[in-house]
Amino acid sequence: DSQLVYFILNTNDEIMYDPFNFKNSNFDTKRNGIEGKTFSEITDKFGFGVNAAYMNAEFDGSAFNNNSLPMTPKEKYGLELKYKFDDNWIFSFDWNFIRDFYRANDFNNNFKADNYDVCNLKLIYKNKDFYSYIYFNNIFNKKYSTYQSSSGFSIDNGEYPMPGFNVLWGVGYIF
């Protein structure tokens, strides 16, 4: 199962916080890029998938014309490994890597955000309409922030860190 998509998105009057005027303002923006993914069942028990995306996202006009949009990564990569123990149990590993973007409010593109990657494990049990799962997130307990801010003039506004290693458990029933 594979997919490749090219996209173009031009937006008029996108609302963003304007750090220079201290209010929400409307900006014209343009985005284009390519995304691809593939997943293959190598055997009846083992599957492997990869995905990648490249996006060019910029202001279209205004004093920031052709500057990159803050908090919009140019590149994203992922890897997934799945193993089916039997018809009920599935184990998976995924890795996601995000890179090349600017901090929030950095319309002048002065403050690059930190790239980050994270790895997770999942164990899923399914039996007809019942399912249960346990997710082991951020298995290497990495310190990273998906939202990295700036004032537009400096990076002193901080970051919003993601949780370290954590476990999520749940059950469900489909009816």
Side-chain angles (χ1 to χ4, degrees), residues 115-147:
N115 301 331
Y116 63 89
D117 67 313
V118 65
C119 296
N120 307 297
L121 295 174
K122 299 175 186 171
L123 183 61
I124 302 165
Y125 175 79
K126 293 181 182 178
N127 187 350
K128 297 182 183 175
D129 294 329
F130 171 81
Y131 62 93
S132 182
Y133 57 87
I134 188 165
Y135 293 173
F136 300 93
N137 299 311
N138 193 2
I139 60 174
F140 297 117
N141 201 30
K142 290 189 111 177
K143 293 183 180 193
Y144 72 101
S145 297
T146 58
Y147 185 86

Side-chain angles (χ1 to χ4, degrees), residues 44-99:
D44 62 335
K45 294 202 175 271
F46 182 72
F48 175 79
V50 295
N51 62 69
Y54 175 83
M55 180 169 44
N56 189 40
E58 300 176 337
F59 288 98
D60 188 17
S62 81
F64 310 108
N65 192 42
N66 294 326
N67 285 5
S68 293
L69 296 177
M71 292 301 301
T72 309
K74 283 197 182 291
E75 299 173 36
K76 295 181 180 183
Y77 304 99
L79 170 73
E80 181 182 16
L81 302 171
K82 262 189 191 174
Y83 183 76
K84 291 170 95 174
F85 292 100
D86 57 32
D87 289 339
N88 301 103
W89 290 94
I90 299 169
F91 174 81
S92 72
F93 166 85
D94 66 73
W95 169 76
N96 295 288
F97 179 54
I98 310 296
R99 69 178 303 268

Side-chain angles (χ1 to χ4, degrees), residues 16-42:
M16 291 185 217
Y17 179 73
D18 182 346
F20 301 102
N21 294 306
F22 306 104
K23 66 178 186 173
N24 286 337
S25 298
N26 295 340
F27 296 94
D28 292 344
T29 61
K30 57 187 176 184
R31 293 171 175 83
N32 64 70
I34 189 165
E35 294 183 28
K37 69 177 183 176
T38 186
F39 189 85
S40 179
E41 299 287 339
I42 306 299

